[in-house]
Amino acid sequence: SQKIEQNSEALNIQEGKTATLTCNYTNYSPAYLQWYRQDPGRGPVFLLLIRENEKEKRKERLKVTFDTTLKQSLFHITASQPADSATYLCALTAGSARQLTFGSGTQLTVLP
Amino acid sequence: DAGVIQSPRHEVTEMGQEVTLRCKPISGHDYLFWYRQTMMRGLELLIYFNNNVPIDDSGMPEDRFSAKMPNASFSTLKIQPSEPRDSAVYFCASNLRGRANTGELFFGEGSRLTVL
């Protein structure tokens, strides 16, 4: 069956360190993969998209990698700040499907 | 742009009552999605529309759920009759696929439903 798994439900790191979040998938051949941020009581907000033919994409302090052989995406936040504390969701679409399927999310807490 | 607008933000109702959730997508977006979020199951797609036409409703849990999109600026998700297990946050999202197919979704703030 198709599955999207994100590493540990919660991740705590010290301010200034790099946070690394993992998204693994099985039985998908995604055309692209997306990362969203969700704050408590709010809707998810789009952060980054990476296509299957791209290895890496960056946006300010964010970096996403996409390894279609390992079926894995890594999401990095460098020089993390307490304001980065949120739940981060990966999502993917595959083939001709138009809809996004989301992972369960990783709750990140950056400690001051 | 005001973004995707959902109402009500919070709804508390009793089992058996009808619930109607509303969504106004971003103007010009041609896709509209309804998702449900719970702690146990995360974000699940219920149904999505393209140009006001339902395309895939395979995520709708059962016949008690129905969704309509009478025009490009309005959609409803109705639950009748509601049950306690329907308690969740319901999100509406919209998207414009006519461009470079970036696929990013714009979500509303959600409607938190509690069925007693």
Side-chain angles (χ1 to χ4, degrees):
Chain A
S1 63
Q2 293 179 320
K3 200 182 293 186
I4 303 171
E5 292 181 323
Q6 295 190 238
N7 67 323
S8 65
E9 290 184 1
L11 180 64
N12 295 335
I13 64 166
Q14 210 64 40
E15 183 176 6
K17 301 292 187 184
T18 295
T20 298
L21 284 63
T22 305
C23 177
N24 295 295
Y25 57 92
T26 54
N27 294 321
Y28 280 100
S29 296
Y32 51 84
L33 189 146
Q34 303 183 28
W35 285 88
Y36 287 76
R37 168 183 173 141
Q38 187 174 23
D39 291 286
R42 310 295 297 274
V45 174
F46 172 80
L47 295 175
L48 277 170
L49 175 149
I50 186 165
R51 292 185 168 81
E52 60 180 336
N53 60 349
E54 298 175 317
K55 295 287 188 199
E56 180 181 299
K57 184 162 278 189
R58 294 175 184 261
K59 178 182 176 182
E60 298 173 354
R61 295 184 296 110
L62 308 180
K63 185 178 83 170
V64 172
T65 63
F66 194 10
D67 189 326
T68 54
T69 301
L70 291 179
K71 296 187 182 299
Q72 180 182 79
S73 175
L74 299 179
F75 177 81
H76 307 271
I77 306 174
T78 58
S80 60
Q81 305 166 359
D84 296 325
S85 299
T87 296
Y88 292 86
L89 302 157
C90 72
L92 55 83
T93 187
S96 61
R98 293 295 190 182
Q99 63 267 40
L100 278 179
T101 302
F102 284 82
S104 55
T106 297
Q107 184 177 339
L108 173 68
T109 301
V110 181
L111 304 167
Chain B
D1 199 320
V4 176
I5 299 173
Q6 292 187 245
S7 64
R9 287 296 313 276
H10 301 274
E11 173 94 5
V12 180
T13 190
E14 293 190 345
M15 184 173 63
Q17 296 297 307
E18 178 179 293
V19 173
T20 300
L21 308 177
R22 298 172 178 79
C23 175
K24 177 176 167 43
I26 292 173
S27 176
H29 281 190
D30 56 352
Y31 279 82
L32 183 140
F33 302 79
W34 282 101
Y35 282 86
R36 176 172 69 176
Q37 188 173 41
T38 61
M39 288 294 291
M40 289 296 295
R41 301 175 67 90
L43 261 174
E44 302 175 280
L45 178 67
L46 300 178
I47 184 171
Y48 76 96
F49 297 81
N50 175 219
N51 292 323
N52 314 337
V53 176
I55 302 300
D56 185 349
D57 65 354
S58 59
M60 297 285 260
E62 45 195 280
D63 292 345
R64 297 184 296 106
F65 286 69
S66 63
K68 294 181 180 179
M69 192 165 185
N71 57 62
S73 58
F74 184 65
S75 177
T76 60
L77 178 67
K78 188 173 292 187
I79 309 172
Q80 165 64 15
S82 58
E83 296 182 4
R85 61 191 166 124
D86 302 330
S87 298
V89 182
Y90 291 81
F91 286 102
C92 175
S94 70
N95 176 281
L96 177 61
R97 295 299 181 113
R99 295 179 299 170
N101 198 27
T102 61
E104 65 177 281
L105 290 183
F106 295 82
F107 282 83
E109 297 289 43
S111 294
R112 179 175 294 276
L113 173 65
T114 302
V115 183
L116 304 174

